[in-house]
Amino acid sequence: MKTVIIGAGAMGSLFGGLLSFSGQEVWLVDVWKEHVNAICSNGLAIEKKGATQIISVNATTDIRSIGKADLVLFFVKTYNTEKAVSDSLALEKEDTLFLTLQNGLGNEETICQKIDRKKVILGITGQGATLLGPGSIRHAGWAKTYIGEPDGKMTDRTNQIAQMFCKAGIETEVSSHIHDLVWEKLFVNVGINALAALLGIKNGQILDFPETLRLLDSLVNEAVEVARRKGIQIEGNPIERVKTVIEATRENRCSMGQDLDRKRKTEIDAINGAVLREAERLGIPVPYNRMITDLIKVIEKRFAQG
Ligand code: NAD
């Protein structure tokens, strides 16, 4: 299955490297020339538990040079999805599939503005990666990946993609309720990212203070209420699940934290901001998510002003 990954940062490079190593034809596309040049010249370096593996993988900044794709995987940050989708049209043939494993809400809608909904597959991933520099990433997490058809049907094509991922060492399951899983992952990001980012703390420190625990509860409970009103099926206790993820990633500085540390734009609009948008549509007050979104937005605006 000829696979093109748009956005070859931490996650795109990880998936691209692992798939290429397993023998698949993979192309990484990124706008970051230095990174693409490094991969083309020296291979992609993947560091895992202190050991580094160099993998040969095709990479380019010129999407039009690749030809048509069987599978397009979006791994840009959510605020770049619209542009990535426009670019991806150059890869489309009649049976091309388009998969997103990005975080947050709204990716499906953005993709379906330009791509026929019948060609779109959704997913979430518990894999984790960090960019170390041009041509170099760290593989930092390896929990399960889930993919599924938006309408919940179990299909050959999702099985085929899951098998391809599994063969590359990316443990993947096909789900008949992928929207529920997208929201479940959203609860984790809603509870951790903006809070840890603003406070300048590692994930684990959220559990160390009664104030951060209260804030975590309020942020996640608001998101859970919005999800319930939208008909999302929620299994078990979402707050406890978020705390379990925090325990497992105690030493991590979350991606939104890293973005703020580097004075970069964040994915707030797809995380707490998305909860706020959905809540407004439903007429539900979500004051904690509103406040934390506004705080991050002001910081982003100040970065943009230099
Ligand atoms: P990243 O910033 O490391 O990589 C994104 C890449 O996209 C960058 O290299 C950027 O140059 C490139 N890009 C931007 N616009 C482009 C375009 N039009 N065409 C081609 N390339 C373009 O981000 P990441 O950490 O890999 O995250 C990607 C997505 O995966 C996000 O939605 C994130 O929330 C999600 N995610 C990340 C992790 C993680 O551990 N990093 C885990 C799960 C999910």
Side-chain angles (χ1 to χ4, degrees):
M1 192 179 256
K2 180 174 170 184
T3 301
V4 179
I5 301 179
I6 307 186
M11 293 301 286
S13 289
L14 176 68
F15 273 65
L18 295 176
L19 286 168
S20 184
F21 189 67
S22 75
Q24 291 295 326
E25 182 184 356
V26 178
W27 284 87
L28 293 176
V29 182
D30 207 289
V31 290
W32 183 16
K33 285 195 183 111
E34 212 187 341
H35 182 51
V36 168
N37 289 343
I39 295 172
C40 292
S41 308
N42 311 316
L44 172 71
I46 303 186
E47 184 204 300
K48 185 177 173 184
K49 295 180 177 167
T52 300
Q53 187 184 11
I54 308 289
I55 292 173
S56 169
V57 50
N58 304 309
T60 182
T61 54
D62 178 12
I63 201 164
R64 294 185 178 278
S65 67
I66 300 172
K68 303 297 176 191
D70 298 314
L71 176 66
V72 176
L73 173 52
F74 293 109
F75 255 139
V76 293
K77 289 281 176 75
T78 48
Y79 46 82
N80 284 320
T81 308
E82 200 174 335
K83 170 77 170 70
V85 173
S86 296
D87 295 349
S88 75
L89 297 176
L91 304 165
E92 187 176 17
K93 58 187 169 77
E94 207 183 331
D95 59 352
T96 302
L97 297 174
F98 295 83
L99 167 65
T100 168
L101 293 173
Q102 299 157 283
N103 277 331
L105 278 192
N107 300 307
E108 180 185 2
E109 290 70 19
T110 306
I111 296 168
C112 291
Q113 278 167 13
K114 297 219 167 82
I115 306 284
D116 184 345
R117 191 168 284 277
K118 293 192 201 94
K119 296 178 156 186
V120 177
I121 295 169
L122 307 179
I124 56 162
T125 182
Q127 296 286 338
T130 312
L131 258 174
L132 300 178
S136 176
I137 60 159
R138 176 177 298 132
H139 190 179
W142 26 86
K144 229 181 217 177
T145 296
Y146 293 90
I147 61 169
E149 301 280 355
D151 65 6
K153 286 193 183 124
M154 300 299 274
T155 56
D156 287 345
R157 62 190 203 175
T158 46
N159 281 331
Q160 207 186 333
I161 296 169
Q163 274 168 22
M164 178 175 79
F165 283 177
C166 287
K167 201 176 149 220
I170 302 163
E171 194 188 353
T172 303
E173 224 175 81
V174 179
S175 169
S176 60
H177 52 284
I178 197 69
H179 286 118
D180 298 348
L181 297 182
V182 168
W183 272 88
E184 209 170 272
K185 178 103 196 263
L186 183 75
F187 298 151
V188 173
N189 294 132
V190 159
I192 300 175
N193 291 27
L195 192 54
L198 279 170
L199 292 172
I201 59 178
K202 290 183 175 174
N203 291 0
Q205 291 172 282
I206 293 176
L207 302 181
D208 295 345
F209 305 97
E211 293 85 355
T212 41
L213 282 169
R214 272 204 304 274
L215 288 163
L216 166 74
D217 273 21
S218 302
L219 288 165
V220 176
N221 279 331
E222 285 180 359
V224 168
E225 177 58 18
V226 172
R228 286 218 166 92
R229 289 277 295 274
K230 283 184 67 69
I232 299 296
Q233 296 296 312
I234 299 162
E235 304 283 330
N237 182 334
I239 302 268
E240 286 312 313
R241 265 203 308 278
V242 177
K243 287 182 183 166
T244 305
V245 173
I246 293 177
E247 278 295 355
T249 58
R250 205 164 232 292
E251 291 307 313
N252 284 10
R253 177 91 172 117
C254 68
S255 59
M256 197 177 290
Q258 292 181 40
D259 288 338
L260 287 198
D261 298 344
R262 291 174 194 153
K263 298 195 174 353
R264 286 194 315 222
K265 193 171 161 62
T266 74
E267 295 189 298
I268 192 74
D269 286 329
I271 300 176
N272 306 85
V275 172
L276 178 58
R277 275 196 308 282
E278 294 291 341
E280 278 172 349
R281 273 181 213 144
L282 294 162
I284 306 172
V286 287
Y288 285 86
N289 279 282
R290 175 180 288 283
M291 188 173 84
I292 212 151
T293 302
D294 285 347
L295 288 170
I296 298 275
K297 298 296 280 184
V298 173
I299 294 175
E300 285 185 348
K301 283 180 185 168
R302 295 197 57 216
F303 290 164
Q305 288 165 351

